[in-house]
């Protein structure tokens, strides 16, 4: 779960990491009141979770109260990549001497956390790694040991700092690691962390992604996650409520399958035959008829879907349950779009019987079925 | 296959064999009890179950204990398979490890990364083998299974399989079985970003397993372990043929495709990068699941 910039900055600040002085506003009036308390020049930043906010014009500057009012008005009416801006963060602009990067993420090979630092910041870490690979400092964290003060100082030294500056930035690194652990982050970064004209360090932007699987330990964010539904497609919200893994894609062939790998391979196969999948939907293992019906409802509610491909390889999932779910969905909602069904595995005879009895054909091969659904989609449905 | 003289000596499998004594942690839950029955039917030696608070009861005629410690006082235990719900799974895994169990299969999905890191760090210190989390487990066809895979799609043979995906393994295994290409051992690494065994660990085991003649490697988007495995294969001049399939060529960046670990971050973790690295290391990469069997025949 991605946190908004203002949430991340408030957390950093609570852990003693310097951030620019600022507050959140949801109206122009509120923005003006906040601006009165701050020292210009100010930065006004749209609070959205989509990437590329700056390039999309979501970060504006203001050197007077009148200007704050103007840019706040503009931002609060703005949509960034289709997402309406509901709130803005207003903060004091800092005088930048140098932009740096510091972040912590997971290292799959070493099964641990890894800190990544760079004396160049302000662009994507991948871009830094590509353009200035020599500036990337990777420090593997021993999970039992954690990131200690001396580790943080070692990293600071490699970034070129010494004396009191080394101590100051080292403390920030140490605190960020503590946040990483306390908040179950799967990614936490300060990009940039800025060295100011006075030689101090300030986290000018902060990003925290909380591990979705750890949200049960962070109920306040879980609550917020379901309340701020604006950045999700309606199908994504419905899927979440039904414990289904769903991702909206750009094509017109709706896809339902069991198991993440199988569904991914189904999408790939559709694409291989020249078709375009409209979504990823994994019903998981051992899905009941109700769950299958819910999945069908979600996929068919997407107006982009012209044809539907159901690919089930029954292991723990029983083919007869899947067949019953398809019939159940057909009873509840009008299914006018053509369906191609591939159904093999546990109880496949029973499943096939249920469907063929009502005139729904069932195929055995995933590839044959993919080819067929692509052919139908080319004809623009029925 | 007839060239193997004795059934007993044939197909010992990696990690588990028919003499592995296992406990089931979380045996009284719906999944735990269902799969305990299926594993017993397959011939796996399940000796006991553990569910805190349910000690003294029985599941499939298997005694249930409150603690791993008590199970061990009453039975020989080599391995544990864990079905405990995610918020309590780390506790269960650490309990097994601290009580000296050296093989853990963690079926549970949705375990937080922080918990997995803690489990793996402990396992490394005590030299234990962890399969998963978020894995279908391991099967040595015809011998034993510690997992949830449907047994009927597998048959004994000499193809080793290692995969990050459950159902995709079933898809490919059943197509191999239909074409009379049996399997030595099939192992699911798990769909999480942090797992115990990885591709390289498993390839090393298959290299030393005389029953395994060729390997099927099933990867997916997310992380760079397939790329590192390709480097390993090339560097070590890996002696057995490998056929790979990588899922997720059509996955958009920044979206988690079902598995916690299946996500392209910016330009990192794409299927293209993995396919390219594997091909450069001399691995045949199948375009479709059904092509795996064809490539194994060449």
């Amino acid at each position: 779960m991605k946190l908004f910039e203002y949430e991340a900055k408030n957390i950093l600040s609570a852990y003693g990491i310097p951030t620019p002085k600022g507050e959140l506003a949801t109206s122009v009036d509120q923005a003006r009141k906040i601006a009165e308390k701050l020292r210009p020049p100010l930065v006004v930043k749209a609070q959205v979770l989509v990437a590329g906010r700056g390039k999309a014009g979501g970060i504006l500057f203001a050197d007077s109260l009148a200007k704050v009012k103007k840019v706040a008005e503009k931002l609060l009416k703005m949509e960034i990549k289709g997402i309406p801006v509901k709130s803005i963060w207003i903060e004091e602009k800092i005088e930048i001497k140098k932009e740096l990067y510091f972040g912590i993420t997971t290292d799959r090979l070493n099964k641990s956390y890894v800190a990544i630092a760079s004396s160049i910041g302000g662009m994507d870490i991948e871009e830094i790694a590509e353009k200035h690979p020599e500036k990337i400092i990777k420090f593997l964290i021993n999970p039992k040991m954690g990131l200690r003060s001396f580790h943080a100082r070692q990293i600071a030294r490699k970034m070129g700092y010494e004396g009191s500056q080394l101590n100051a930035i080292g403390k920030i690194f140490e605190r960020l690691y503590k946040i990483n652990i306390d908040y179950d982050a799967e990614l936490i970064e300060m990009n940039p962390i800025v060295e100011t004209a006075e030689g101090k360090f300030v986290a000018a932007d902060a990003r925290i992604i909380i591990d979705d699987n750890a949200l049960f330990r962070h109920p306040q964010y879980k609550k917020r996650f379901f309340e701020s539904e604006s950045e999700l497609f309606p199908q994504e919200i419905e899927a979440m409520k039904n414990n289904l893994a769903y991702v909206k894609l750009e094509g017109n062939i709706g896809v339902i399958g069991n198991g993440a790998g199988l569904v991914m391979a189904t999408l790939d196969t559709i694409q291989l035959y020249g078709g375009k999948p409209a979504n990823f939907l994994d019903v998981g293992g051992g899905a009941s008829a109700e769950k299958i019906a819910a999945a069908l409802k979600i996929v068919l509610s997407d107006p982009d879907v012209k044809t539907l491909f159901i690919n089930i390889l029954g292991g723990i999932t029983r083919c007869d349950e899947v067949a019953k779910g398809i019939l159940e969905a057909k009873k509840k909602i009008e299914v006018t779009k053509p369906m191609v069904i591939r159904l093999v595995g546990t109880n496949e005879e029973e499943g096939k019987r249920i469907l063929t009895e009502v005139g729904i054909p069932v195929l055995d091969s995933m590839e044959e079925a993919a080819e067929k659904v692509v052919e139908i989609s080319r004809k623009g449905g029925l | 296959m007839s060239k193997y003289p004795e059934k007993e000596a044939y197909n010992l499998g990696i990690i588990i064999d028919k003499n592995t004594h296992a406990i089931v942690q979380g045996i009284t839950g719906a999944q735990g009890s269902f799969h305990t029955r299926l594993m017993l039917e397959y011939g796996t030696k399940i000796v006991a179950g553990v569910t805190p608070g349910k000690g003294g009861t029985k599941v499939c005629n298997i005694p249930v204990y409150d603690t791993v410690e008590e199970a061990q006082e009453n039975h020989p235990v080599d391995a544990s398979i864990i079905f405990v719900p995610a918020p309590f799974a780390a506790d269960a895994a650490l309990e097994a490890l601290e009580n000296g169990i050296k093989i853990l299969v963690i079926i549970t999905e949705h375990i937080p990364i922080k918990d997995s890191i803690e489990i793996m760090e402990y396992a490394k210190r005590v030299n234990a083998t962890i399969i998963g989390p978020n894995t279908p487990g391991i099967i040595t066809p015809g011998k034993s299974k510690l997992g949830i895979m449907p047994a009927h799609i597998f048959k004994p043979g000499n193809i080793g399989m290692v995969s990050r995906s459950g159902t995709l393994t079933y898809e490919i295994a059943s197509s191999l079985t239909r074409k009379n290409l049996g399997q030595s051992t099939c192992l699911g690494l798990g769909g999480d970003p942090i797992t115990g065994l990885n591709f390289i660990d498993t390839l090393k085991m298959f290299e030393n397993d005389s029953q395994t003649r060729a390997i099927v490697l099933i990867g997916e988007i997310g992380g760079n372990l397939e790329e590192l495995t390709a480097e390993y294969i090339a560097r070590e001049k890996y002696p057995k043929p490998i056929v790979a399939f990588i899922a997720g060529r059509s996955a958009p960046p920044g979206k988690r495709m079902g598995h916690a670990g299946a996500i392209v971050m910016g330009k990192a973790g794409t299927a293209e990068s993995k396919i390219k690295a594997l091909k450069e290391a001399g691995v045949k990469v199948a375009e479709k699941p059904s092509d795996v069997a064809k490539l194994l025949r060449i």
Side-chain angles (χ1 to χ4, degrees):
Chain A
M1 172 190 182
K2 288 179 190 166
L3 296 193
F4 286 103
E5 178 194 8
Y6 76 88
E7 291 174 312
K9 277 188 171 163
N10 286 340
I11 294 170
L12 260 61
S13 178
Y15 276 71
I17 296 176
T19 53
K21 207 174 161 197
E23 271 184 60
L24 185 75
T26 51
S27 70
V28 177
D29 196 42
Q30 208 183 354
R32 192 182 46 80
K33 279 182 192 147
I34 291 166
E36 278 170 7
K37 292 186 277 182
L38 300 173
R39 200 179 54 191
L42 302 175
V43 191
V44 186
K45 301 166 100 177
Q47 296 299 294
V48 286
L49 298 172
V50 288
R53 170 183 65 167
K55 279 180 196 149
I59 300 174
L60 297 171
F61 298 91
D63 45 18
S64 67
L65 278 181
K67 189 79 192 287
V68 167
K69 217 182 135 192
K70 219 169 150 187
V71 300
E73 230 167 50
K74 188 174 174 192
L75 286 177
L76 284 167
K77 275 185 201 151
M78 192 186 261
E79 271 192 10
I80 296 178
K81 296 186 182 171
I83 308 294
V85 178
K86 287 183 176 169
S87 59
I88 48 176
W89 175 258
I90 304 142
E91 67 181 17
E92 292 178 358
K93 189 167 179 277
I94 34 179
E95 262 191 79
I96 298 171
K97 184 178 162 198
K98 202 173 176 195
E99 292 186 310
L100 318 162
Y101 175 93
F102 184 80
I104 298 164
T105 185
T106 48
D107 182 307
R108 295 185 186 213
L109 182 68
N110 294 294
K111 299 160 197 177
S112 184
Y113 294 107
V114 60
I116 298 166
S118 165
S119 52
I120 291 178
M123 54 182 127
D124 279 354
I125 183 66
E126 292 151 9
E127 202 181 331
I128 303 172
E130 214 170 276
K131 289 185 182 160
H132 311 278
E134 77 288 351
K135 298 283 185 195
I136 297 273
I137 300 154
K138 269 192 177 183
F139 179 82
L140 197 67
I141 299 167
N142 174 334
K144 208 162 163 52
M145 189 87 154
L147 183 84
R148 300 299 177 106
S149 305
F150 70 91
H151 294 139
R153 292 193 296 270
Q154 286 171 4
I155 295 169
R157 192 180 76 96
K158 288 202 178 78
M159 290 171 82
Y161 291 105
E162 54 181 31
S164 62
Q165 274 197 314
L166 174 140
N167 277 339
I169 198 167
K171 265 211 178 73
I172 293 174
F173 296 164
E174 209 187 326
R175 286 168 179 163
L176 202 81
Y177 177 73
K178 187 146 189 343
I179 299 171
N180 176 65
I181 294 298
D182 290 354
Y183 282 83
D184 276 289
E186 67 175 45
L187 173 75
I188 181 165
E189 61 180 15
M190 303 180 286
N191 190 19
I193 168 167
V194 161
E195 184 187 342
T196 65
E198 301 93 62
K200 295 218 163 70
F201 298 101
V202 180
D205 200 356
R207 192 151 83 107
I208 298 178
I209 303 177
I210 296 182
D211 176 2
D212 288 338
N213 289 337
L215 280 176
F216 69 90
R217 290 199 278 248
H218 307 280
Q220 72 277 32
Y221 292 106
K222 195 173 181 175
K223 192 163 167 269
R224 207 274 281 145
F225 190 51
F226 278 100
E227 281 168 4
S228 90
E229 292 172 352
S230 63
E231 305 203 2
L232 297 171
F233 290 99
Q235 287 85 9
E236 288 177 321
I237 296 157
E238 267 314 297
M240 248 186 254
K241 286 179 185 161
N242 286 286
N243 279 323
L244 298 164
Y246 175 95
V247 177
K248 176 88 176 90
L249 302 170
E250 284 168 352
N252 56 11
I253 301 173
V255 177
I256 294 173
N258 64 323
L262 184 67
V263 181
M264 269 191 271
T266 307
L267 306 181
D268 296 346
T269 309
I270 288 173
Q271 213 171 48
L272 197 68
Y273 287 117
K276 285 200 173 78
N279 70 278
F280 167 101
L281 195 156
D282 172 15
V283 293
S288 61
E290 294 77 42
K291 212 165 180 179
I292 299 288
L296 262 145
K297 218 174 138 189
I298 289 166
V299 173
L300 291 171
S301 73
D302 177 354
D304 295 339
V305 169
K306 300 293 175 234
T307 56
L308 184 66
F309 182 12
I310 302 176
N311 183 13
I312 302 289
L313 182 102
I316 351 171
T317 307
R318 286 164 39 193
C319 293
D320 54 326
E321 279 289 312
V322 174
K324 281 178 203 157
I326 294 170
L327 293 193
E328 201 175 297
K330 278 200 117 181
K331 259 182 243 161
K332 282 184 196 153
I333 48 170
E334 205 189 335
V335 183
T336 50
K337 290 164 188 172
M339 264 194 247
V340 175
I341 300 170
R342 185 267 185 141
L343 195 59
V344 294
T346 310
N347 292 1
E348 83 177 55
E349 287 75 24
E350 179 64 6
K352 282 178 179 162
R353 193 188 56 77
I354 294 171
L355 291 175
T356 43
E357 263 178 21
V358 295
I360 303 173
V362 179
L363 297 173
D364 279 340
S365 145
M366 152 172 170
E367 284 140 27
E368 198 187 314
E371 217 173 342
K372 191 167 174 191
V373 79
V374 171
E375 197 189 308
I376 296 172
S377 79
R378 280 226 182 93
K379 291 174 190 154
L382 276 184
Chain B
M1 250 164 261
S2 56
K3 69 181 84 160
Y4 298 105
E6 253 187 284
K7 261 204 140 98
E8 277 308 296
Y10 171 63
N11 197 8
L12 283 171
I14 61 167
I15 305 172
I16 58 161
D17 60 33
K18 70 187 193 68
N19 296 315
T20 305
H21 294 75
I23 59 167
V24 177
Q25 286 177 267
I27 193 168
T28 53
Q31 294 288 317
S33 56
F34 177 68
H35 289 290
T36 296
R37 181 170 62 77
L38 295 183
M39 285 189 284
L40 285 167
E41 281 172 14
Y42 201 68
T44 309
K45 288 203 169 84
I46 305 287
V47 293
V50 174
T51 300
K54 297 278 171 71
T57 61
K58 284 194 168 181
V59 170
C60 302
N61 227 15
I62 300 289
V64 179
Y65 299 93
D66 288 318
T67 62
V68 170
E69 191 179 37
E70 197 184 350
Q72 272 190 315
E73 283 164 10
N74 293 285
H75 306 274
V77 182
D78 309 306
S80 175
I81 178 164
I82 297 176
F83 291 92
V84 174
F88 318 106
D91 188 61
L94 295 172
E95 182 183 5
L97 289 171
E98 194 165 283
N99 281 284
I101 300 176
K102 296 292 184 203
I103 301 167
L104 262 59
V105 177
I106 308 175
I107 303 294
T108 311
E109 187 177 1
H110 301 305
I111 298 179
I113 291 170
K114 189 166 75 183
D115 298 12
S116 289
I117 287 177
E118 195 182 6
I119 297 167
M120 301 315 159
E121 190 277 331
Y122 197 128
K124 193 175 164 192
R125 262 189 293 142
V126 297
N127 211 8
T129 299
I130 310 255
I131 299 172
N134 192 7
T135 173
I138 179 169
I139 183 166
T140 296
K143 289 280 168 185
S144 184
K145 75 162 183 170
L146 270 182
I148 59 172
M149 57 286 276
H152 65 270
I153 59 171
F154 299 93
K155 71 176 255 184
N158 47 34
I159 309 290
M161 291 181 76
V162 55
S163 170
R164 282 172 65 192
S165 153
T167 41
L168 196 48
T169 306
Y170 311 161
E171 177 77 43
I172 293 172
S174 57
S175 92
L176 296 188
T177 296
R178 274 199 305 276
K179 292 180 176 111
N180 213 21
L181 290 161
Q183 306 89 34
S184 53
T185 294
C186 302
L187 185 142
L189 300 175
D192 281 1
I194 303 288
T195 62
L197 288 183
N198 62 29
F199 286 120
I200 297 174
D201 302 326
T202 315
L203 285 183
K204 284 179 186 165
M205 292 182 202
F206 279 138
E207 184 178 346
N208 296 325
D209 177 37
S210 61
Q211 311 308 330
T212 302
R213 297 293 178 83
I215 293 121
V216 173
L217 184 155
I218 304 166
E220 62 189 30
I221 53 160
N224 64 344
L225 289 184
E226 287 84 353
E227 286 88 334
L228 295 174
T229 305
E231 266 174 42
Y232 167 82
I233 292 165
R235 192 178 59 236
E236 300 294 319
K237 301 189 173 62
Y238 193 76
K240 297 184 181 181
I242 304 173
V243 174
F245 179 81
I246 304 293
R249 274 168 299 172
S250 51
K255 294 284 184 183
R256 190 154 265 142
M257 305 300 274
H259 284 154
I263 181 166
V264 173
M265 301 273 226
K267 288 173 197 156
T270 63
E272 289 69 30
S273 149
K274 294 168 192 300
I275 291 167
K276 183 167 172 272
L278 287 164
K279 280 187 174 165
E280 280 169 8
V283 174
K284 289 175 194 153
V285 183
E287 260 195 333
K288 309 188 292 279
S290 66
D291 291 348
V292 171
K294 287 178 207 156
L295 291 174
L296 279 169
R297 291 242 186 251
I298 297 167

